[in-house]
Amino acid sequence: MRYALHAEWTKLRTTRGTGQLLLLAIVLTVALGAGTAKAVTCPDLGCGEDGVRLPLTGIVLGQAVVAIAAVLTVSGEYATGMIHTSFAAVPRRITVLTAKAAVLAATVAAAGTAAVLACLLAGRYFLPGNGFTEAHGYPPLSLADGPTLRAAFGSVLYLVLIALLSLGVATAVREAASAIGIVLGLLYLFPLVTHVVTDPAWQRRLAQVAPMTAGLAVQATTGLDHLPIGPWAGLGVLAGWTAAALLAGGVLLHRRDA
């Protein structure tokens, strides 16, 4: 495993496209989060906005780039034939997949932490000028606050789970365009279907099982009683999707030819 981890880290570190995509994910996440924090105002007491969630809005966009980067870590090797070299060096394919998952998770966690902290700093800077003040019930954003810390940590974990979900799908599908289409469809089409459905009960059920809607519930710090699913339970739903994707990818990787 140690050799496999070193090999996967070397491949990830020396593949320029992956690093550029993760950097782009950070930039887009912070840009959208800061823009949202700067644009939304709270003129009155109890304006109903979630002051912590606003600057973390950029996760909705950044996750797409993270997913693409994760898919390419597998599909890129299949496209170039490098996967044969990987399996020749480490014959146990599940070990290769485990090493890929571990290295990818650590890298995305580092990138996600940088993005989330930058978003919260932007929120701390912009929100008070837009009326999100203590007088309106919004203390300055601080990781010393339990709900804020949970939203921040949960957002990083959310990005890691999205990356691992994408890795599992890419391992099962192999082809980049198909894998990216499946992952982005799971993330963005579920919420669209939820809005199309008119039955409130079914809207709630779909929101409870949709990977993005359920997973991002971890960012909520207000109105928790009105959420379709609780913060940690929602992240658990995403973890279930991720585990299923990795299991499917692992089984197919083990059974079929490279």
Side-chain angles (χ1 to χ4, degrees), residues 16-27 62 65-66 68-70 72:
R16 188 171 62 176
T18 304
Q20 290 175 339
L21 283 172
L22 291 178
L23 180 60
L24 177 62
I26 295 173
V27 171
V65 185
V66 168
I68 293 171
L72 293 180

Side-chain angles (χ1 to χ4, degrees), residues 165 169-170 172-173 175-189:
L165 169 66
V169 171
V173 176
E175 204 272 323
S178 299
I180 292 170
I182 291 172
V183 174
L184 296 186
L186 283 173
L187 294 178
Y188 296 111
L189 287 184

Side-chain angles (χ1 to χ4, degrees), residues 12-38:
L12 187 67
R13 179 172 52 84
T14 55
T15 303
R16 188 171 62 176
T18 304
Q20 290 175 339
L21 283 172
L22 291 178
L23 180 60
L24 177 62
I26 295 173
V27 171
L28 291 178
T29 299
V30 176
L32 181 56
T36 302
K38 188 175 182 179

Side-chain angles (χ1 to χ4, degrees), residues 19-202:
Q20 290 175 339
L21 283 172
L22 291 178
L23 180 60
L24 177 62
I26 295 173
V27 171
L28 291 178
T29 299
V30 176
L32 181 56
T36 302
K38 188 175 182 179
V40 178
T41 60
C42 182
D44 302 308
L45 179 65
C47 58
E49 296 289 351
D50 190 331
V52 177
R53 199 167 192 172
L54 285 174
L56 295 175
T57 304
I59 297 292
V60 174
L61 179 59
Q63 66 176 346
V65 185
V66 168
I68 293 171
V71 165
L72 293 180
T73 61
V74 175
S75 61
E77 287 198 54
Y78 276 105
T80 60
M82 178 64 71
I83 195 69
H84 298 287
T85 304
S86 297
F87 290 154
V90 183
R92 298 186 64 179
R93 297 184 177 188
I94 299 303
T95 300
V96 174
L97 180 60
T98 302
K100 282 184 181 295
V103 171
L104 179 65
T107 306
V108 171
T113 299
V116 167
L117 290 178
C119 286
L120 291 178
L121 284 174
R124 186 180 175 92
Y125 178 79
F126 289 119
L127 289 176
N130 292 347
F132 290 88
T133 61
E134 291 192 69
H136 289 166
Y138 293 94
L141 296 183
S142 171
L143 291 178
D145 175 61
T148 303
L149 180 61
R150 185 250 298 153
F153 175 76
S155 295
V156 175
L157 188 54
Y158 174 87
L159 289 175
V160 171
L161 289 173
I162 291 297
L164 294 178
L165 169 66
S166 305
L167 179 70
V169 171
T171 304
V173 176
R174 296 184 179 184
E175 204 272 323
S178 299
I180 292 170
I182 291 172
V183 174
L184 296 186
L186 283 173
L187 294 178
Y188 296 111
L189 287 184
F190 252 116
L192 292 178
V193 173
T194 302
H195 284 91
V196 171
V197 173
T198 56
D199 187 345
W202 274 105

